[in-house]
Amino acid sequence: MPKLKMGEDHAACNAVTGVDMKVLVLTGMPGSGKSEAVKVAEEMGIPIQRMGDMVREMVRAKGFELNRANLASVANSERKRLGPDIWAKRTVRVISRSPIVVIDGARSLAEVDYFRKELGTSLLVLAVHSSPWTRWQRISKRHREDDPRTFGELRERDGQELRWGLGDIIATADMMLLNEGSKGHLRGQMRHLLLDLSGRPPATGPPAETTFTEVVER
Amino acid sequence: MPKLKMGEDHAACNAVTGVDMKVLVLTGMPGSGKSEAVKVAEEMGIPIQRMGDMVREMVRAKGFELNRANLASVANSERKRLGPDIWAKRTVRVISRSPIVVIDGARSLAEVDYFRKELGTSLLVLAVHSSPWTRWQRISKRHREDDPRTFGELRERDGQELRWGLGDIIATADMMLLNEGSKGHLRGQMRHLLLDLSGRPPATGPPAETTFTEVVER
């Protein structure tokens, strides 16, 4: 994996960490309820940094149609060209300054490690988990165009999502919301967590310099 | 990935599935409390199939010292030589026939997929999750010889565990126990789950033929 130069990015990020923000990296498998959890944060006035928005912008700028295949292809070719944490690097450059910020769309520990290194130890990873069968029941009801149409297709989609290391982020999450019940229950849990977080002192745990990057490289 | 021949193994497994057992694949990161959960099952008289025991046996048979490095090296060289699901294949050959069986030690979706294919749809994956910081606090107290000695070393160990795909199993688990509290709380949850499971009809969800193997191949 190419080591990325830091230079001016690093300076910009120090300015960011100077604000003493809490950064919540929100993650989950398709249909887990992650988007609903992001919505709760948004409704509470917390800025959301959507990594996917940058990819969408680039797909549009290249004149490609906005669909899953093109989004994945552009995201991946940028990772291959500029390193597995390129989208994290670009996210840090534009991140909002606010007491709490939510980052949506991290796909690998390389990205989380970059956030941790640049945004300090107040970074927390929150995973929303539902069983594959629960996720399938939700997805089969929502009728989105790009969604899997069978349980087997959901397993394949899962595989695509896991390929970059999403499972590694979920397995090492700092917090986990289980979402097997109603939307209301998840919303309640999420609101509770964000209220708790906004009153919480900065985390004392993970040393910022520790990274997974070398050991999980595939 | 080499496709493994099924032949006589397949026949043997059909005999196994004929018993209509529920198979619980138990998984978790180091220090998550997985071993404690296995212990609860054991105390309830549920047979435990420890995939690690077969690896230990092979390390001993080769005359190597029994340590983490040798165990990992033998396990991995067998996976490279005979396919990523070789330990799953060997487990299915010797699995106990019982209404509920716990399999401990799965490391990748290739293994889980093999179990699902051979042991039918009554297979459930249970993950025990704790945050890295909670896991570190537990590990730093238990003083096992091979354990990480710093939080950074735990991150590295995590990376080694994730390398074969442990995170993929956890992210797609059918059930998740959160273990941020006391041992007693985890034990209670696990007992409850096993009692519930022993009275539960076979799962209707996942079709047995669906596998992740192709899409998550690295």
Side-chain angles (χ1 to χ4, degrees), chain A residues 11 23 34 56 58 66 75 87 98 109 113 120 142 161 164 176 184 187 198 200-201 208 212:
Chain A
V23 180
K34 184 190 67 152
R56 264 181 287 276
M58 186 170 280
L66 262 186
W87 294 107
S98 169
L109 282 181
D113 285 338
R142 70 188 188 188
E161 296 287 331
W164 283 99
M176 179 90 68
R187 292 179 61 86
S198 60
R200 193 190 283 187
F212 275 94

mmCIF file of all heavy atoms in Angstrom, chain A residues 11 23 34 56 58 66 75 87 98 109 113 120 142 161 164 176 184 187 198 200-201 208 212:
data_model
loop_
_atom_site.group_PDB
_atom_site.id
_atom_site.type_symbol
_atom_site.label_atom_id
_atom_site.label_comp_id
_atom_site.label_asym_id
_atom_site.label_seq_id
_atom_site.Cartn_x
_atom_site.Cartn_y
_atom_site.Cartn_z
ATOM 1 N N ALA A 11 -1.724 19.828 8.169
ATOM 2 C CA ALA A 11 -1.897 21.147 8.791
ATOM 3 C C ALA A 11 -3.384 21.485 8.885
ATOM 4 O O ALA A 11 -3.878 21.886 9.934
ATOM 5 C CB ALA A 11 -1.163 22.201 7.973
ATOM 6 N N VAL A 23 -16.132 12.734 16.759
ATOM 7 C CA VAL A 23 -16.431 12.252 15.413
ATOM 8 C C VAL A 23 -16.999 10.844 15.523
ATOM 9 O O VAL A 23 -16.375 9.960 16.125
ATOM 10 C CB VAL A 23 -15.167 12.247 14.533
ATOM 11 C CG1 VAL A 23 -15.493 11.739 13.136
ATOM 12 C CG2 VAL A 23 -14.559 13.643 14.477
ATOM 13 N N LYS A 34 -28.731 1.686 9.113
ATOM 14 C CA LYS A 34 -27.716 2.737 9.238
ATOM 15 C C LYS A 34 -28.271 4.082 8.764
ATOM 16 O O LYS A 34 -28.085 5.113 9.425
ATOM 17 C CB LYS A 34 -26.474 2.357 8.415
ATOM 18 C CG LYS A 34 -25.340 3.340 8.565
ATOM 19 C CD LYS A 34 -24.226 3.078 7.552
ATOM 20 C CE LYS A 34 -24.694 3.367 6.141
ATOM 21 N NZ LYS A 34 -23.624 3.769 5.212
ATOM 22 N N ARG A 56 -20.266 10.408 -5.675
ATOM 23 C CA ARG A 56 -21.337 10.800 -6.592
ATOM 24 C C ARG A 56 -20.921 12.005 -7.427
ATOM 25 O O ARG A 56 -21.130 12.046 -8.638
ATOM 26 C CB ARG A 56 -22.624 11.135 -5.813
ATOM 27 C CG ARG A 56 -23.600 9.962 -5.727
ATOM 28 C CD ARG A 56 -24.872 10.349 -4.976
ATOM 29 N NE ARG A 56 -24.617 10.466 -3.535
ATOM 30 C CZ ARG A 56 -24.634 9.425 -2.697
ATOM 31 N NH1 ARG A 56 -24.931 8.225 -3.132
ATOM 32 N NH2 ARG A 56 -24.389 9.593 -1.423
ATOM 33 N N MET A 58 -17.942 12.944 -8.222
ATOM 34 C CA MET A 58 -16.925 12.580 -9.207
ATOM 35 C C MET A 58 -17.537 11.813 -10.384
ATOM 36 O O MET A 58 -17.143 12.014 -11.542
ATOM 37 C CB MET A 58 -15.820 11.751 -8.547
ATOM 38 C CG MET A 58 -14.663 11.463 -9.486
ATOM 39 S SD MET A 58 -13.239 10.742 -8.648
ATOM 40 C CE MET A 58 -12.480 12.196 -7.930
ATOM 41 N N LEU A 66 -25.447 7.943 -12.889
ATOM 42 C CA LEU A 66 -25.342 7.694 -11.441
ATOM 43 C C LEU A 66 -26.010 6.370 -11.080
ATOM 44 O O LEU A 66 -27.204 6.325 -10.799
ATOM 45 C CB LEU A 66 -26.041 8.813 -10.673
ATOM 46 C CG LEU A 66 -25.195 9.949 -10.101
ATOM 47 C CD1 LEU A 66 -26.043 10.872 -9.268
ATOM 48 C CD2 LEU A 66 -24.002 9.450 -9.304
ATOM 49 N N ALA A 75 -15.211 4.757 -7.170
ATOM 50 C CA ALA A 75 -14.659 4.713 -5.810
ATOM 51 C C ALA A 75 -13.444 3.792 -5.758
ATOM 52 O O ALA A 75 -12.397 4.152 -5.210
ATOM 53 C CB ALA A 75 -15.718 4.233 -4.821
ATOM 54 N N TRP A 87 -10.512 8.325 0.108
ATOM 55 C CA TRP A 87 -11.806 8.990 0.373
ATOM 56 C C TRP A 87 -11.854 9.550 1.791
ATOM 57 O O TRP A 87 -12.495 10.576 2.043
ATOM 58 C CB TRP A 87 -12.975 8.037 0.093
ATOM 59 C CG TRP A 87 -13.059 7.686 -1.365
ATOM 60 C CD1 TRP A 87 -12.732 6.491 -1.936
ATOM 61 C CD2 TRP A 87 -13.446 8.554 -2.435
ATOM 62 N NE1 TRP A 87 -12.900 6.559 -3.295
ATOM 63 C CE2 TRP A 87 -13.335 7.804 -3.629
ATOM 64 C CE3 TRP A 87 -13.870 9.880 -2.513
ATOM 65 C CZ2 TRP A 87 -13.645 8.339 -4.882
ATOM 66 C CZ3 TRP A 87 -14.183 10.416 -3.753
ATOM 67 C CH2 TRP A 87 -14.066 9.657 -4.915
ATOM 68 N N SER A 98 -17.710 21.181 14.256
ATOM 69 C CA SER A 98 -18.901 21.148 15.101
ATOM 70 C C SER A 98 -18.569 20.252 16.296
ATOM 71 O O SER A 98 -17.690 19.400 16.192
ATOM 72 C CB SER A 98 -20.047 20.546 14.272
ATOM 73 O OG SER A 98 -21.146 20.249 15.083
ATOM 74 N N LEU A 109 -10.898 -0.437 7.420
ATOM 75 C CA LEU A 109 -10.138 0.051 8.575
ATOM 76 C C LEU A 109 -9.057 1.030 8.150
ATOM 77 O O LEU A 109 -8.638 1.868 8.950
ATOM 78 C CB LEU A 109 -9.514 -1.131 9.327
ATOM 79 C CG LEU A 109 -10.478 -1.907 10.224
ATOM 80 C CD1 LEU A 109 -9.734 -3.032 10.935
ATOM 81 C CD2 LEU A 109 -11.146 -0.996 11.253
ATOM 82 N N ASP A 113 -8.659 4.244 10.276
ATOM 83 C CA ASP A 113 -7.348 4.561 10.837
ATOM 84 C C ASP A 113 -6.907 5.962 10.437
ATOM 85 O O ASP A 113 -6.319 6.688 11.235
ATOM 86 C CB ASP A 113 -6.297 3.554 10.359
ATOM 87 C CG ASP A 113 -6.438 2.214 11.070
ATOM 88 O OD1 ASP A 113 -7.022 2.203 12.160
ATOM 89 O OD2 ASP A 113 -5.969 1.208 10.519
ATOM 90 N N GLY A 120 -8.020 12.556 15.866
ATOM 91 C CA GLY A 120 -7.746 12.369 17.288
ATOM 92 C C GLY A 120 -8.543 11.256 17.931
ATOM 93 O O GLY A 120 -9.282 10.526 17.281
ATOM 94 N N ARG A 142 -38.792 -2.401 0.590
ATOM 95 C CA ARG A 142 -38.605 -0.980 0.268
ATOM 96 C C ARG A 142 -38.535 -0.689 -1.229
ATOM 97 O O ARG A 142 -38.567 0.480 -1.631
ATOM 98 C CB ARG A 142 -37.404 -0.390 1.014
ATOM 99 C CG ARG A 142 -36.047 -0.877 0.558
ATOM 100 C CD ARG A 142 -34.928 -0.385 1.489
ATOM 101 N NE ARG A 142 -33.622 -0.714 0.922
ATOM 102 C CZ ARG A 142 -32.480 -0.567 1.557
ATOM 103 N NH1 ARG A 142 -32.454 -0.100 2.785
ATOM 104 N NH2 ARG A 142 -31.332 -0.882 0.967
ATOM 105 N N GLU A 161 -19.938 -5.576 -0.317
ATOM 106 C CA GLU A 161 -19.709 -4.570 0.730
ATOM 107 C C GLU A 161 -18.542 -4.975 1.644
ATOM 108 O O GLU A 161 -17.787 -4.137 2.113
ATOM 109 C CB GLU A 161 -20.969 -4.382 1.579
ATOM 110 C CG GLU A 161 -22.178 -3.834 0.826
ATOM 111 C CD GLU A 161 -22.031 -2.356 0.478
ATOM 112 O OE1 GLU A 161 -21.337 -1.649 1.225
ATOM 113 O OE2 GLU A 161 -22.589 -1.923 -0.543
ATOM 114 N N TRP A 164 -14.100 -4.690 0.704
ATOM 115 C CA TRP A 164 -13.116 -3.649 1.032
ATOM 116 C C TRP A 164 -12.777 -3.603 2.513
ATOM 117 O O TRP A 164 -11.903 -2.866 2.925
ATOM 118 C CB TRP A 164 -13.595 -2.278 0.561
ATOM 119 C CG TRP A 164 -13.416 -2.150 -0.914
ATOM 120 C CD1 TRP A 164 -14.372 -2.315 -1.870
ATOM 121 C CD2 TRP A 164 -12.200 -1.894 -1.602
ATOM 122 N NE1 TRP A 164 -13.818 -2.189 -3.110
ATOM 123 C CE2 TRP A 164 -12.485 -1.915 -2.990
ATOM 124 C CE3 TRP A 164 -10.880 -1.649 -1.198
ATOM 125 C CZ2 TRP A 164 -11.500 -1.707 -3.957
ATOM 126 C CZ3 TRP A 164 -9.902 -1.436 -2.166
ATOM 127 C CH2 TRP A 164 -10.233 -1.468 -3.522
ATOM 128 N N MET A 176 -22.232 -0.588 19.367
ATOM 129 C CA MET A 176 -23.053 -1.375 18.457
ATOM 130 C C MET A 176 -24.520 -1.184 18.843
ATOM 131 O O MET A 176 -24.872 -1.330 20.013
ATOM 132 C CB MET A 176 -22.637 -2.843 18.628
ATOM 133 C CG MET A 176 -23.369 -3.839 17.801
ATOM 134 S SD MET A 176 -22.616 -4.164 16.180
ATOM 135 C CE MET A 176 -21.079 -4.989 16.598
ATOM 136 N N GLY A 184 -38.859 2.778 15.339
ATOM 137 C CA GLY A 184 -38.967 3.646 16.515
ATOM 138 C C GLY A 184 -37.959 3.265 17.589
ATOM 139 O O GLY A 184 -37.352 4.128 18.212
ATOM 140 N N ARG A 187 -34.539 4.418 16.483
ATOM 141 C CA ARG A 187 -34.458 5.875 16.589
ATOM 142 C C ARG A 187 -34.248 6.307 18.042
ATOM 143 O O ARG A 187 -33.426 7.178 18.331
ATOM 144 C CB ARG A 187 -35.718 6.525 16.002
ATOM 145 C CG ARG A 187 -35.839 6.354 14.470
ATOM 146 C CD ARG A 187 -37.126 6.998 13.955
ATOM 147 N NE ARG A 187 -37.138 8.426 14.229
ATOM 148 C CZ ARG A 187 -36.591 9.346 13.440
ATOM 149 N NH1 ARG A 187 -36.021 8.991 12.314
ATOM 150 N NH2 ARG A 187 -36.633 10.620 13.760
ATOM 151 N N SER A 198 -23.035 13.784 23.492
ATOM 152 C CA SER A 198 -22.833 15.242 23.485
ATOM 153 C C SER A 198 -22.481 15.738 24.886
ATOM 154 O O SER A 198 -21.898 16.806 25.035
ATOM 155 C CB SER A 198 -24.072 15.946 22.944
ATOM 156 O OG SER A 198 -25.174 15.639 23.759
ATOM 157 N N ARG A 200 -20.589 13.807 26.941
ATOM 158 C CA ARG A 200 -19.491 12.946 27.384
ATOM 159 C C ARG A 200 -18.130 13.621 27.162
ATOM 160 O O ARG A 200 -17.929 14.237 26.127
ATOM 161 C CB ARG A 200 -19.569 11.648 26.576
ATOM 162 C CG ARG A 200 -18.713 10.539 27.109
ATOM 163 C CD ARG A 200 -18.675 9.398 26.121
ATOM 164 N NE ARG A 200 -19.903 8.596 26.137
ATOM 165 C CZ ARG A 200 -20.035 7.468 25.454
ATOM 166 N NH1 ARG A 200 -19.079 7.040 24.667
ATOM 167 N NH2 ARG A 200 -21.153 6.782 25.527
ATOM 168 N N PRO A 201 -17.209 13.465 28.104
ATOM 169 C CA PRO A 201 -15.862 14.004 27.859
ATOM 170 C C PRO A 201 -15.162 13.208 26.762
ATOM 171 O O PRO A 201 -15.535 12.070 26.511
ATOM 172 C CB PRO A 201 -15.151 13.820 29.201
ATOM 173 C CG PRO A 201 -15.873 12.692 29.871
ATOM 174 C CD PRO A 201 -17.307 12.768 29.390
ATOM 175 N N ALA A 208 -3.965 7.419 19.326
ATOM 176 C CA ALA A 208 -4.224 7.811 17.941
ATOM 177 C C ALA A 208 -3.247 7.197 16.948
ATOM 178 O O ALA A 208 -3.586 6.996 15.796
ATOM 179 C CB ALA A 208 -4.205 9.328 17.838
ATOM 180 N N PHE A 212 -4.275 -0.256 11.923
ATOM 181 C CA PHE A 212 -4.437 -1.628 11.481
ATOM 182 C C PHE A 212 -3.813 -1.820 10.106
ATOM 183 O O PHE A 212 -3.731 -2.929 9.631
ATOM 184 C CB PHE A 212 -5.919 -1.920 11.231
ATOM 185 C CG PHE A 212 -6.680 -2.328 12.428
ATOM 186 C CD1 PHE A 212 -7.366 -1.406 13.178
ATOM 187 C CD2 PHE A 212 -6.722 -3.657 12.787
ATOM 188 C CE1 PHE A 212 -8.113 -1.796 14.256
ATOM 189 C CE2 PHE A 212 -7.476 -4.054 13.873
ATOM 190 C CZ PHE A 212 -8.166 -3.115 14.610
#
